[in-house]
Amino acid sequence: MSKHLPPVVSLNSTARTNRSMRVMERRARLMRRKRHRKHARIVEKIIYLPPPAVPDHLQRFIASLTPNEALAYAKSEIEKAPLVTDDPDLSYELMELLLKVYFYKEGERPIFHEPHLMGIYSSEGWFMKLMEENRYFVTRDPEKAHLFYLPYSSRQLQMAVYVPNSHNLRPLSIFLRDYVNMLAAKYPFWNRTHGTDHFLVACHDWGPYILKDHEELIRNTIKALCNADISEGIFKAGKDVSLPETAIRNVGKPLINVGGKRVSQRPILAFFAGNMHGPVRPKLLEYWSDKDEDMKIYGPLPNRVSRKMSYLEHMKSSKFCLCPMGFEVNSPRIVEAIYYECVPVIIADNLALPFDEVLDWSAFSLIVAEKDIPKLKEILLSIPLRRYQVMQNNVKRLQKHFHWNSIPTRYDLFHMILHSIWSSRLNQFQESGYHNPS
């Protein structure tokens, strides 16, 4: 996809011809999509392209824009894109072209600037690590920033401040309230937008609940949360971002064991093993544990079973991997299933799915209502083999979107999270005094 040139740049006849050809190509691509949509669901709306070279005149134009002008320009380009106004590839290109993020230096380790990279809460840590190491999107000049990152770890905050067995989250919430108030007193950036251009990334189950003592923090900030529960009134669909929960067991090799077996080598229909957290998993065991040979449903994987086949081998040998919620809606099993090329079956009624602005989850996963657990095998067997093969192949195709890479690559998990945050900022942004001439 070619870059949209800024409207203030005059084009000679050759450039106008080239641009017309690009518009025609875009229209033709859209028509092809429409023709095929009846027969095949689009899995990825994002198109894979090498990073585009930015012409000098476009660089100069971008450098001349204030952050608000850049956001207005991006919204204008997306809105006037011929026939494909919702094409997220254009949004992604504009992110690469424009986005600058400032992260605050304040805050002592370990709560701030010390990423927690292991275990099921590691998404926030990996994002923090890769964001603070980034030299492409990060700016040292806050006056040039479109977004401001609050670089704290909810997991480190829990470990440092929470009193075990107290069931009292208020000290954590007060800690964050005081941190934001300190930034608001020291810098002008929070107060000029009331936090709407600030974002946080939190993967702990308590992530949403420890924001409650600061009204603007919980109401205005873009919240990237693993606990993306749309029923509780904290996570706001369309503004906040659903953060994938990833269970990282090897920091040096975060993608170790990624991959799976072909369909013919997956004799197990459905698999789940895990602790009995929350109301959904006990119901799953009640109906399916030791009831059916095709349904390998356990609590913690018994030793007698794991001696014959490990947890990982179960996932790689199953057609469907069940991902029921625990105490909260989030589950690392969704990404685990994708890593091991097993079609995820998501059982969490109120979970906002990650990246749903660009990924069609129905093309590579099943969403089963909690009330339909008794009919689970019937639902799975109703999927024709051909459709299952397509879904499983789609899991392999989009796996790269859920990869943590030590050096980030385009469209990987780091970039996908950042794109969702960027998209949220664009959706919220209200133009003020900037006119993008046609």
Side-chain angles (χ1 to χ4, degrees), residues 302-320:
N303 289 334
R304 61 179 171 80
V305 176
S306 62
R307 280 196 296 265
K308 297 177 182 178
M309 182 184 289
S310 69
Y311 179 89
L312 186 150
E313 280 300 310
H314 270 86
M315 296 198 86
K316 293 192 175 199
S317 302
S318 299
K319 292 181 175 66
F320 296 96

Side-chain angles (χ1 to χ4, degrees), residues 209-408:
Y209 312 127
I210 59 178
L211 309 174
K212 291 185 174 181
D213 271 272
H214 196 293
E215 184 180 351
E216 290 180 342
L217 179 66
I218 199 168
R219 185 183 69 234
N220 298 340
T221 305
I222 300 169
K223 304 181 288 294
L225 301 172
C226 286
N227 189 2
D229 189 327
I230 60 176
S231 70
E232 295 183 334
I234 300 174
F235 181 94
K236 302 293 185 183
K239 178 182 79 70
D240 296 325
V241 170
S242 180
L243 180 68
E245 189 170 47
T246 55
I248 300 299
R249 297 177 175 86
N250 187 320
V251 173
K253 297 179 180 178
L255 301 180
I256 193 170
N257 296 321
V258 166
K261 298 178 180 180
R262 60 173 65 103
V263 174
S264 62
Q265 295 176 323
R266 292 177 177 267
I268 302 169
L269 177 63
F271 169 67
F272 170 78
N275 293 322
M276 290 296 98
H277 296 155
V280 173
R281 297 180 187 183
K283 189 176 179 183
L284 193 62
L285 256 67
E286 176 190 348
Y287 281 95
W288 295 109
S289 179
D290 297 322
K291 301 291 195 304
D292 193 305
E293 276 299 308
D294 293 332
M295 308 284 284
K296 302 295 185 183
I297 311 299
Y298 306 96
L301 195 64
N303 289 334
R304 61 179 171 80
V305 176
S306 62
R307 280 196 296 265
K308 297 177 182 178
M309 182 184 289
S310 69
Y311 179 89
L312 186 150
E313 280 300 310
H314 270 86
M315 296 198 86
K316 293 192 175 199
S317 302
S318 299
K319 292 181 175 66
F320 296 96
C321 290
L322 307 186
C323 309
M325 65 176 287
F327 288 128
E328 306 293 349
V329 292
N330 42 303
S331 169
R333 286 170 181 79
I334 297 173
V335 176
E336 278 186 330
I338 292 170
Y339 279 3
Y340 304 137
E341 298 169 6
C342 179
V343 173
V345 179
I346 300 165
I347 310 174
D349 288 354
N350 297 309
L351 173 65
L353 293 169
F355 317 139
D356 63 350
E357 73 274 14
V358 290
L359 295 184
D360 177 9
W361 281 80
S362 69
F364 62 93
S365 70
L366 286 179
I367 300 171
V368 173
E370 295 166 20
K371 67 179 177 61
D372 289 333
I373 287 176
K375 299 188 294 184
L376 188 55
K377 185 175 181 180
E378 177 186 344
I379 291 169
L380 300 183
L381 290 178
S382 72
I383 306 297
L385 177 60
R386 181 64 183 272
R387 183 187 168 199
Y388 174 80
Q389 290 171 326
V390 171
M391 293 174 75
Q392 201 256 354
N393 188 58
N394 288 340
V395 170
K396 291 189 282 188
R397 284 183 57 203
L398 61 84
Q399 193 181 76
K400 63 195 78 177
H401 294 322
F402 296 88
H403 284 175
W404 288 119
N405 295 298
S406 298
I407 300 175

